[in-house]
Amino acid sequence: MKPALEVNAVSKRFDGVPVLDGVSLTVGDGEFVSLVGPSGSGKSTLFQIIGGLERPEAGKIRIEGLDVTGRRGLIAYMPQQASLLPWRTVAGNVGLALEIAGVSVGDTRRLTHEWLARVGLADYADAYPHVLSGGMQQRVSFVRALLSPRRLMCLDEPFGALDALTRMHMQQWLLSLWEANRRSVLLVTHSIEEALLLSDRIIVLSDKPASVLKEIAVPFPRPRDERLWSSPAFNALKEDIYGLLKPAAHSGF
């Protein structure tokens, strides 16, 4: 079976400044992969290239074996902020991906309400986004991405703006939902702990221009929970990854 995503030797410059330098990575079918790296190392730029919003100067993007370089609309995307449409209800925001995909009105309504019930937001179906907490808005945003017909989900630091306790709850929520559905996921995060908790593999990027420093297979069995954070093996691996990033620590990681 072809990988869900192949990034092959992708390079990119902005105004003559190199941002990505021959980045290659894969995400297998049903695999959860995280990208960690210094601030400003080009992780979001790589997402824009994967999503077709930017074209690389060199390299290719393949999804399920097909060259999709520069093509849009082929991934499900969850940004750092929930980016919900304020004039649409919660149900309207969740159903947007299905509407765009051409799903019938009846099926869109059924799936939307089914999933809102599954994530504990059934009572908010007719509410508007401004009445929701940050964590609730992110749940709506994730379900909208999950209901996209695209098998590959790209999550760009989706919990970065949340407080520590809400972030921990959202990590557990995401983990349980992913384990039940096993979509292919590429996650950008600044949190080594988050990457270790969620991922099958972690790809460590260098400072700009970004290249792959190391790929790490996460050895911890699933299902996982926050008790993992206190294990010696977890903390040893966290220190190893932090050691890879230490030279770039002054850059704001």
Side-chain angles (χ1 to χ4, degrees), residues 43-238:
K43 299 183 295 296
S44 292
T45 298
L46 182 59
F47 263 25
Q48 290 171 352
I49 292 172
I50 291 169
L53 300 176
E54 295 281 350
R55 290 194 68 95
E57 292 176 14
K60 298 289 185 183
I61 303 296
R62 289 186 171 86
I63 292 179
E64 297 179 355
L66 299 176
D67 184 352
V68 299
T69 311
R71 292 176 57 188
R72 303 183 183 188
L74 300 177
I75 64 171
Y77 176 66
M78 183 177 174
Q80 296 178 20
Q81 304 295 330
S83 300
L84 303 179
L85 301 177
W87 59 88
R88 275 184 170 248
T89 64
V90 167
N93 271 282
V94 169
L96 185 59
L98 295 170
E99 293 175 26
I100 292 172
V103 177
S104 70
V105 172
D107 284 344
T108 294
R109 184 179 297 115
R110 176 181 58 79
L111 286 167
T112 294
H113 286 275
E114 175 186 315
W115 274 94
L116 285 175
R118 289 180 69 174
V119 302
L121 292 174
D123 292 343
Y124 293 89
D126 297 323
Y128 287 87
H130 72 273
V131 308
L132 304 181
S133 68
M136 293 164 74
Q137 289 187 18
Q138 288 299 83
R139 272 191 275 169
V140 173
S141 182
F142 181 77
V143 171
R144 181 175 62 186
L146 191 66
L147 286 178
S148 165
R150 304 305 180 189
R151 285 289 299 164
L152 175 65
M153 299 181 67
C154 290
L155 313 182
D156 190 359
E157 259 196 290
F159 309 139
L162 302 177
D163 64 83
L165 184 60
T166 303
R167 181 173 185 149
M168 183 175 69
H169 289 159
M170 288 297 296
Q171 289 166 351
Q172 286 298 323
W173 177 82
L174 170 57
L175 197 57
S176 63
L177 208 58
W178 176 81
E179 286 177 345
N181 291 271
R182 294 289 173 141
R183 296 280 287 278
S184 302
V185 174
L186 182 62
L187 169 74
V188 163
T189 179
H190 276 88
S191 169
I192 297 172
E193 292 91 343
E194 182 170 86
L196 286 169
L197 177 68
L198 297 175
S199 308
D200 296 308
R201 280 188 298 123
I202 297 172
I203 296 170
V204 183
L205 295 181
S206 70
D207 204 352
K208 193 161 51 179
S211 60
V212 175
L213 287 176
K214 191 171 185 179
E215 290 191 19
I216 298 167
V218 179
F220 310 119
R222 299 183 184 275
R224 301 175 189 161
D225 59 37
E226 67 273 11
R227 290 174 293 183
L228 185 63
W229 294 344
S230 61
S231 77
F234 181 94
N235 285 290
L237 192 49
K238 181 178 75 172

